[in-house]
Amino acid sequence: VQLVESGGGSVQPGDSLSLSCVTSGLIFDDYAVGWFRQAPGKEPDGISCIGPGSEGSYYADSVKGRFTISRDSAKDTLYLRLSGLKPEDTAVYTCVADLLPPRVLCRSKFPHYRGQGAQVTVSS
């Protein structure tokens, strides 16, 4: 199983960015998928997760209204649109997958599958 993120980078406050996570080796439609992020010196934080067939989504309060999660079953790919970025959004963003409800996945300490991560830096 592989989860490969792309789309990270350095942006200014207020900018937008899109992340993608291409999955392989798993039956994508069976899994809840989501995004965790880890800022320097902090624990990983599940910020957004979405269920199979896009049924049910969860957003952490810190990103609600600014980030949008989506998935494309035809491409076995997960997306995260980040808008209104703030310096505190700087982190390594990692996609995850597991056979859990979205809210539970985002609160899990050990998602079954995870990618290597993509750096997002927000700085003026």
Side-chain angles (χ1 to χ4, degrees), residues 79-97:
Y79 302 97
L80 187 69
R81 178 67 174 171
L82 300 75
S83 301
L85 282 161
K86 306 174 182 179
E88 52 263 42
D89 293 318
T90 294
V92 175
Y93 286 70
T94 303
C95 63
V96 299

Side-chain angles (χ1 to χ4, degrees), residues 47-65:
I47 57 168
S48 186
C49 294
I50 187 168
S54 298
E55 289 189 13
S57 60
Y58 165 83
Y59 293 92
D61 288 343
S62 58
V63 305
K64 198 174 295 182

Side-chain angles (χ1 to χ4, degrees), residues 16-64:
S16 298
L17 195 66
S18 291
L19 300 177
S20 300
C21 172
V22 179
T23 72
S24 60
L26 55 77
I27 302 174
F28 185 71
D29 287 349
D30 286 349
Y31 283 78
V33 287
W35 295 92
F36 278 58
R37 71 182 181 185
Q38 186 170 17
K42 294 190 176 181
E43 292 290 315
D45 182 25
I47 57 168
S48 186
C49 294
I50 187 168
S54 298
E55 289 189 13
S57 60
Y58 165 83
Y59 293 92
D61 288 343
S62 58
V63 305
K64 198 174 295 182

Side-chain angles (χ1 to χ4, degrees), residues 63-119:
V63 305
K64 198 174 295 182
R66 299 189 298 123
F67 292 6
T68 303
I69 193 170
S70 61
R71 60 189 293 166
D72 186 339
S73 293
K75 297 181 179 180
D76 292 349
T77 299
L78 172 68
Y79 302 97
L80 187 69
R81 178 67 174 171
L82 300 75
S83 301
L85 282 161
K86 306 174 182 179
E88 52 263 42
D89 293 318
T90 294
V92 175
Y93 286 70
T94 303
C95 63
V96 299
D98 208 329
L99 297 171
L100 296 168
R103 180 180 294 270
V104 177
L105 173 58
C106 263
R107 294 179 177 179
S108 171
K109 288 190 178 295
F110 303 105
H112 196 67
Y113 299 115
R114 61 189 305 143
Q116 292 299 308
Q119 177 70 45

